[in-house]
Amino acid sequence: MFVLGLQGSPRKKGNSVYLLNRFLAACENRGARIETIDMDTLNIQPCRELVVCEKKGFCPIKDEMEPGIYGLIRRADVVVLVSPVFFYNVSAQAKILIDRCQMFWGRRYKMKLTDPDAGSRQGVLLAVGASGGKRLFDGVELTAHYFFDAISARFAESLTYKKVEAAGTVASVPGVENDIRQAADRIMDAQLNKPSLVFVSNKDACRSQMAAAYAKMAAKGRIRVLSAGTHPADDIHAETRRFLEGQGIDIKYRLPRSLDNLMAEEFQDREPSCVVSMVSDRLSVPGTDNRYWDLDDLQGGDGLASVGNEIRKRVDDLISELQDRYPEK
């Protein structure tokens, strides 16, 4: 599980940084991989409203957003937005990055493409403000709501603290450590308590990516779906991306993943509920439900279409079976 922190404070040791570090540490203690983007250190330009993202699905501004930060956001299971309040909204540093995520909004609402992880990605807001105004966090929360919607994340948690100004003050707020721990536990439980399904191919560049995308769409967040390769490629096949995009499924910025890496990071102290192998040598993961899908005879006339149609049928049947086996609690 990957938790990405977006740190929007210009202070290096401020209250926002404290909240984020404590939250990420709580997630890491539960087994999450964590990473922080310090938005004050980025050299990114503000959105110039070029409208290319709404027509062609990418941002033409060349800086750290493309593909690096966009890729991290898209691959994250949880995105944590952290900011102090500036004039009843997020900081300028955070707002520049948020505005540049108009690219995701354009792909979703103008190009009508669906991120398969829309049913499972979660958004968390952490914010502090110096005043005690009744509506201090209204603007921040509204901005966070639409930011999370644009990146296809469910707004899952919000921790906000008033009358916090001097560095370190938030640490003395009554109950703050308990708030952070409980919120992190809810976030982690929402992912880790689900059944898990892993699709494995040789390169994780075509079949396993298609299967994972279809499974995520069918499961709607009820099953944790992953894909990996025994010998992963550097990137997903361009034809696979175009094929899925033609079906309204958006896997832009996804990358192949090593099976060894996935098992080490995602399943340190447990096993996946089900592993579907699409490699020539039948793969068997101890302690789990292993399946083998032989798709080698589907490379004929229709190419990707014939493979994709067969994978989708098998995925629908498998997801239905798993949902019956693991009913939603």
Side-chain angles (χ1 to χ4, degrees), residues 144-207:
H145 171 85
Y146 285 105
F147 168 60
F148 290 142
D149 180 74
I151 64 172
S152 299
R154 177 177 63 86
F155 196 159
E157 295 283 342
S158 175
L159 298 180
T160 56
Y161 299 95
K162 297 178 179 180
K163 297 181 179 180
V164 172
E165 184 169 14
T169 307
V170 73
S172 61
V173 172
V176 67
E177 291 293 336
N178 192 52
D179 292 347
I180 293 170
R181 185 177 62 255
Q182 289 185 353
D185 281 344
R186 286 191 295 268
I187 286 293
M188 294 298 294
D189 288 344
Q191 293 286 0
L192 299 181
N193 289 343
K194 299 175 187 177
S196 51
L197 171 60
V198 180
F199 293 97
V200 183
S201 63
N202 291 317
K203 296 184 178 181
D204 194 29
C206 182
R207 298 177 184 194

Side-chain angles (χ1 to χ4, degrees), residues 45-51 59-62 100:
Q45 301 179 48
C47 176
R48 302 212 304 268
E49 203 173 2
L50 301 173
V51 199
C59 181
I61 300 174
K62 304 301 181 185
R100 289 289 301 282

